[in-house]
């Protein structure tokens, strides 16, 4: 097996990595202070094609496969995680449903504007009563003539405060349980009856905004039904499954950045008359961090390749996400330890990564849910 990325993907990855390490990281303190991403950074991101990673070229996107997208996500992971989170929420789960399930009219109506970043996308499935238990969704969509009327509340929806388009999962036939849910394309900024709650105040990932989305007799054109009626939940699981590979790649990028920072600090910081890199305790932590980076990278590359080959990745996507996000948590802790008191200070990127990474073990399926999926698939097989 050849584990080297093709040359064009390596080149693109290097360009994105340079962008986040120079342009985005230079504005990191501003993003932390304002909880906003500077508009000029988003314009540059659009010029680099970051909003159109998964959108086919015929609709103005870059048209990357899973391997290419994840290579970019790893590069994004090395920079400010709020910036990377906003981009990936749009380019991954926010976009992939429309690309996979949309009809030609839907694609031509939305995808070109999504590819340029003019229309930011999000994915709305989580509710106050249904997080890991997504089958307990209570948002309803009732067919009335040539419209569906939505009522309910979604929460913790990434990109909701700035979204021009949301893919919303709602119950269309309550008698079928999880088999009676459908997906809808909703334009929250222009649809009466749709309102966005206050922006969530999160521990980390500043600039990646999330909020509640409230539907009160919101009339959605029947033409905005995405994919087959009553099969939205099944399709949503597929969207989330593929999105987990991207999270594994972003986690790998974050680990690489933390390792690079830790190596540089260990070589420069002196204690007892010599660099702390000469102490075996520090060397062991650096070695363990490198092991986490390399194993996580191999995993996401394998699973992304499987996605591109059309294979069932339900189990392996969960393996990749669980391994990489749990490993990142340990790497972030070691990075703070290597940095010492400096790693606990707000001026240190290590402190920011330590806070930001915690969310990755929760969203798009908690670590516990990943283990449930893995075990269920093993037992079924």
């Amino acid at each position: 097996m050849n584990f080297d990325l093709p040359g064009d993907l390596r080149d693109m990855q290097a360009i994105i990595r340079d962008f986040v390490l120079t342009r985005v990281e230079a504005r990191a303190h501003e993003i932390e202070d304002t909880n906003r991403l500077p508009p000029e950074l988003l314009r540059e991101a659009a010029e680099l094609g970051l909003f159109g990673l998964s959108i086919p070229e015929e609709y103005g996107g870059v048209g990357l496969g899973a391997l290419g997208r994840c290579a970019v996500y790893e590069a994004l992971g090395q920079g400010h995680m709020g910036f990377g989170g906003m981009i990936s929420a749009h380019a991954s789960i926010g976009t992939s449903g429309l690309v996979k399930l949309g009809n030609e009219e839907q694609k031509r109506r939305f995808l070109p504007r999504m590819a340029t970043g003019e229309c930011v996308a999000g994915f709305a499935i989580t509710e106050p009563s249904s997080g890991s238990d997504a089958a307990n969704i209570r948002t309803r969509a009732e067919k009335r003539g040539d419209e569906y009327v939505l009522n309910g509340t979604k929460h913790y929806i990434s990109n909701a405060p700035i979204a021009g388009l949301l893919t919303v999962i709602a119950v269309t036939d309550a008698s079928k349980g999880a088999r009676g849910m459908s997906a809808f394309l909703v334009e929250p900024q222009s649809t009466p009856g749709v309102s966005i709650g206050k922006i969530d105040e999160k521990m980390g990932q500043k600039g990646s905004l999330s909020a509640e989305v409230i539907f009160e007799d919101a009339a959605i054109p029947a033409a905005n039904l995405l994919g087959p009626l009553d099969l939205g939940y099944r399709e949503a699981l597929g969207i989330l499954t593929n999105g987990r590979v991207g999270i594994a790649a972003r986690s790998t990028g974050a680990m690489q950045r933390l390792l690079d920072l830790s190596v540089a600090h260990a070589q420069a910081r002196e204690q007892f008359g010599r660099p702390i890199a000469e102490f075996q305790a520090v060397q062991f932590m650096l070695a363990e961090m490198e092991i986490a980076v390399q194993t996580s990278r191999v995993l996401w590359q394998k699973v992304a390749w499987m996605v591109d080959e059309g294979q069932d990745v339900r189990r392996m996507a969960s393996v990749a996400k669980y391994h990489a996000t749990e490993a990142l948590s340990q790497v972030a802790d070691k990075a703070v330890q290597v940095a010492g008191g400096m790693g606990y200070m707000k001026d240190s990127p290590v402190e920011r990564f330590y806070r930001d990474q915690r969310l990755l073990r929760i969203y798009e399926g908690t670590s516990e849910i990943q283990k449930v999926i893995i075990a269920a698939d093993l037992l079924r097989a």
Side-chain angles (χ1 to χ4, degrees), residues 78-298:
Q78 294 198 36
H80 191 282
M81 292 188 75
F83 179 86
M86 179 269 173
I87 295 293
S88 62
H90 166 89
S92 180
I93 59 175
T95 300
S96 57
L98 177 55
V99 170
K100 178 184 177 182
L101 302 172
N103 58 43
E104 190 61 24
E105 189 278 330
Q106 291 171 337
K107 290 179 180 180
R108 296 209 173 275
R109 182 156 45 117
F110 295 112
L111 289 181
R113 292 187 294 124
M114 292 165 67
T116 63
E118 175 190 349
C119 177
V120 174
F123 184 77
I125 185 170
T126 303
E127 298 186 0
S129 62
S130 61
S132 297
D133 181 15
N136 194 34
I137 287 171
R138 296 180 181 178
T139 297
R140 298 289 189 266
E142 179 185 350
K143 183 72 181 297
R144 299 180 189 174
D146 58 355
E147 296 178 329
Y148 283 90
V149 178
L150 271 63
N151 283 283
T153 299
K154 303 290 184 180
H155 77 164
Y156 305 151
I157 305 304
S158 297
N159 290 345
I162 59 172
L165 185 70
L166 293 173
T167 299
V168 179
I169 307 301
V171 176
T172 43
D173 188 343
S175 67
K176 296 180 180 179
R179 297 176 182 271
M181 300 182 192
S182 302
F184 297 91
L185 298 172
V186 178
E187 298 175 87
Q189 298 175 11
S190 59
T191 302
V194 180
S195 58
I196 307 298
K198 71 179 183 67
I199 294 173
D200 296 322
E201 291 292 334
K202 302 193 292 288
M203 177 194 299
Q205 299 216 12
K206 302 297 184 181
S208 178
L209 305 181
S210 63
E212 278 194 335
V213 184
I214 302 99
F215 303 94
E216 298 175 301
D217 289 331
I220 311 300
N224 282 25
L225 174 68
L226 180 63
L229 181 68
D230 294 340
L231 292 179
Y233 181 64
R234 185 192 70 181
E235 299 298 344
L237 292 181
I239 293 168
L240 290 171
T241 293
N242 290 347
R244 288 165 184 154
V245 190
I247 292 177
R250 285 177 56 212
S251 299
T252 304
M255 282 187 272
Q256 184 67 66
R257 177 75 188 291
L258 287 166
L259 176 57
D260 292 343
L261 290 168
S262 298
V263 168
H265 178 80
Q267 291 173 329
R269 175 68 167 167
E270 291 189 359
Q271 290 288 284
F272 306 103
R274 54 182 172 149
I276 64 172
E278 295 184 11
F279 295 104
Q280 191 176 65
V282 174
Q283 293 174 0
F284 280 2
M285 286 190 282
L286 297 178
E288 290 163 359
M289 294 162 79
E290 169 69 356
I291 292 167
V293 170
Q294 295 299 337
T295 54
S296 298
R297 181 172 292 135
V298 169

Side-chain angles (χ1 to χ4, degrees), residues 268-347:
R269 175 68 167 167
E270 291 189 359
Q271 290 288 284
F272 306 103
R274 54 182 172 149
I276 64 172
E278 295 184 11
F279 295 104
Q280 191 176 65
V282 174
Q283 293 174 0
F284 280 2
M285 286 190 282
L286 297 178
E288 290 163 359
M289 294 162 79
E290 169 69 356
I291 292 167
V293 170
Q294 295 299 337
T295 54
S296 298
R297 181 172 292 135
V298 169
L299 262 176
W300 80 246
Q301 287 181 346
K302 174 180 179 177
V303 180
W305 174 82
M306 291 173 67
V307 172
D308 286 337
E309 291 294 308
Q311 297 184 27
D312 181 0
V313 298
R314 176 175 43 198
R315 182 200 308 173
M316 287 304 299
S318 289
V319 169
K321 181 183 187 291
Y322 177 86
H323 176 81
T325 57
E326 291 287 332
L328 172 56
S329 181
Q330 296 174 27
V331 166
D333 189 72
K334 289 182 174 70
V336 172
Q337 197 69 15
V338 170
M342 191 180 301
Y344 199 69
M345 298 297 116
K346 286 284 187 180
D347 286 341

